[in-house]
C-alpha cells in the first residue's frame, strides 16, 4: 500500500536544505524502507555504500552554500535507463541521490506490463496477485510504497503511464523531442513517476527547464471513453470519468463529449518499431496528429482512461491491449500524464490520462494540479 505520510521530493529537499535533517539520514531512511518492501521485488540492485557517500557530498555542498532543488532526494532509476541517461544526470546534478535500479520485464512474453528481479516477479502493492504494469514496473512500486518520492521511467507505448495508473501514482510523458529519444524509432521518451504533481513540476524544472504555469480561468476538456477503437472495461471507464467530472464541477471546467473516432495505431506503431526509424508510416501518423490538432482547436485537453483494463494477473492480460489508450501519443508526440483516479470495487487502482497540445506541458501540469486538488478533497471514486 502507498504510504500516505511519505514526504514529497519537494518537502524532502526543503528539509535537507534547511538542515532539519541531513541527506545522509534521509537516504538511510530510504534504504531502510527499501528493505521493508523487499517482498514486492521493486529493485534489481540497491547501492547503499555509493548512495550514502553521495548523500554526504550533498550535505557538504549544502554546508558550503550550494542551492540544490532536489537536495538529498532519494532517487530510484529504471534499470534500463541507469544513472547515465540525460534525465538521471540532470536530477543528480540538482541534488538527487540515486539509491538503486528498479525492475523491468524479462523475456518470454509479448506483453510488457510486468517486472522481474532475480528473486521473482515484481508485485503490485495494492494486490500482490496482480502486476504493477510496465515496463517501468519497479519504479512505480518504489514510489507507491513511499520508499522513494521520485523515480525515473521511460515510455515507448505507455511504459511510464501504465504502471503509474496501476499503482495509483503519477506518470508523465513529456512532449516528444524535449528529451533525447531512448530508441532509434523515436518512440521512447524519459519521464518521472511521482506521488504529486508538484514533484512532476520539480522534475520538469530540473530536467527540462520548465517553470510552473497557472491553469486558465476556464478549461475545456474533451472526454473520450474509447478514442474510437478501444473496448474498455466499463468499471475502469466509470471510475476515470467520475473523477474527471468531480474536478470539472469543483473548478468550473467544461467537459465535452465529441465524437472522437481515431484510427487504431497498432499497425503503425509496430511498423515503426520494426523499421527502427521515425516516420515509418507517415500517412497514419500524420492523420492521427491532424485529427488531434483539429480537436485541440476547440479544447485545452483530451482526457481518457489511462488503460482499457485494470491491473491484470501475473498470467497475462489476455487479448486486451493494455497500451490501447497510451501508445497513440508516442506516435504523435503529444505530452500526456496519468493521474490516480480511484479504485475498482475490488480495490484495483485506475488512472485518468490527460493529453495536451505539443509543447503545452506546462498547461498539462497546471490542470493536473487542479485535478489533484479535487482528488484530495473527495473520497476515491469507485464504479
Amino acid at each position: 500500500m502507498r504510504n500516505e505520510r511519505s514526504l514529497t521530493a519537494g518537502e524532502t529537499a526543503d528539509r535537507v536544505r534547511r538542515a532539519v535533517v541531513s541527506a545522509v539520514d534521509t537516504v538511510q531512511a530510504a534504504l531502510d524502507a527499501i528493505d521493508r518492501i523487499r517482498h514486492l521485488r521493486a529493485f534489481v540492485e540497491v547501492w547503499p555504500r555509493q548512495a550514502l557517500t553521495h548523500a554526504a557530498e550533498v550535505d557538504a555542498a549544502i554546508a558550503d552554500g550550494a542551492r540544490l532543488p532536489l537536495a538529498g532526494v532519494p532517487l530510484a532509476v529504471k534499470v534500463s535507463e541507469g544513472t547515465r541517461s540525460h534525465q538521471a544526470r540532470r536530477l543528480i546534478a540538482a541534488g538527487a541521490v540515486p539509491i538503486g535500479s528498479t525492475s523491468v520485464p524479462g523475456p518470454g512474453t509479448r506483453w510488457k506490463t510486468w517486472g522481474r528481479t532475480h528473486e521473482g516477479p515484481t508485485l503490485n502493492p495494492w494486490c500482490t496477485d496482480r502486476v504493477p504494469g510496465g515496463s517501468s514496473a519497479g519504479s512505480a512500486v518504489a514510489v507507491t510504497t513511499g520508499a522513494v518520492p521520485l523515480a525515473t521511467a521511460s515510455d515507448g507505448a505507455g511504459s511510464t503511464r501504465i504502471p503509474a495508473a496501476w499503482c495509483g501514482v503519477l506518470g508523465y510523458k513529456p512532449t516528444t523531442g524535449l528529451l533525447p529519444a531512448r530508441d532509434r524509432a523515436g518512440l521512447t521518451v524519459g519521464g518521472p513517476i511521482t506521488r504529486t504533481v508538484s514533484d512532476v513540476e520539480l522534475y520538469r524544472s530540473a530536467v527540462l527547464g520548465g517553470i510552473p504555469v497557472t491553469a486558465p480561468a476556464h478549461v475545456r476538456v474533451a472526454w473520450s471513453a474509447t478514442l474510437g477503437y478501444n473496448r474498455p472495461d466499463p468499471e475502469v471507464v466509470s471510475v476515470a470519468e467520475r473523477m474527471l467530472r468531480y474536478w470539472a464541477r469543483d473548478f468550473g471546467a467544461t467537459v465535452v463529449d465529441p465524437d472522437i473516432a481515431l484510427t487504431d495505431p497498432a499497425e503503425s506503431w509496430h511498423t515503426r518499431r520494426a523499421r527502427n526509424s521515425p516516420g515509418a508510416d507517415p500517412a497514419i501518423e500524420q492523420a492521427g496528429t491532424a485529427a488531434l490538432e483539429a480537436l485541440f482547436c476547440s479544447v485545452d485537453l483530451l482526457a481518457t482512461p489511462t488503460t482499457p483494463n485494470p491491473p491484470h494477473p501475473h498470467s497475462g492480460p489476455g487479448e486486451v491491449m493494455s497500451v490501447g489508450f497510451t501508445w497513440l501519443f508516442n506516435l504523435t508526440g503529444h505530452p500526456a500524464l496519468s493521474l490516480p483516479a480511484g479504485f475498482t470495487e475490488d480495490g484495483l487502482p485506475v488512472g485518468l490520462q490527460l493529453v495536451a497540445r505539443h509543447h503545452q506541458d506546462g498547461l498539462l501540469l497546471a490542470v493536473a494540479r487542479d485535478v489533484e486538488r479535487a482528488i484530495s478533497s473527495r473520497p476515491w471514486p469507485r464504479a
Side-chain angles (χ1 to χ4, degrees), residues 262-263 282-292:
L262 301 175
T263 301
I284 294 177
E285 292 177 28
Q286 289 171 10
T289 300
L292 289 168

Side-chain angles (χ1 to χ4, degrees), residues 110 112 135 155-159 161 173 183 185-189 229 263-282 284-285 321 323-324 326-333:
R110 63 182 180 84
K112 297 300 179 184
S135 61
D155 191 315
S159 287
R161 290 162 287 163
K173 183 198 83 67
D183 63 339
L187 292 167
T188 303
V189 180
Y229 56 84
T263 301
D264 186 339
E267 181 179 355
S268 182
W269 191 94
H270 284 296
T271 299
R272 182 159 157 181
R273 175 55 64 88
R275 293 180 182 174
N276 210 22
S277 65
D281 198 346
I284 294 177
E285 292 177 28
M321 294 298 291
V323 296
T326 53
W327 59 353
L328 171 65
F329 307 109
N330 295 87
L331 285 167
T332 65

Side-chain angles (χ1 to χ4, degrees), residues 52-66:
L52 291 169
T53 298
H54 192 139
E57 293 169 354
V58 169
D59 283 330
I62 293 295
D64 286 341

Side-chain angles (χ1 to χ4, degrees), residues 4 20 84 120 161 164-165 198 233 276 305 314 319 323 330 346 376:
E4 299 290 354
V20 173
R84 295 185 179 182
R161 290 162 287 163
S198 63
D233 183 311
N276 210 22
H314 292 277
E319 297 302 314
V323 296
N330 295 87
D346 53 358
S376 65

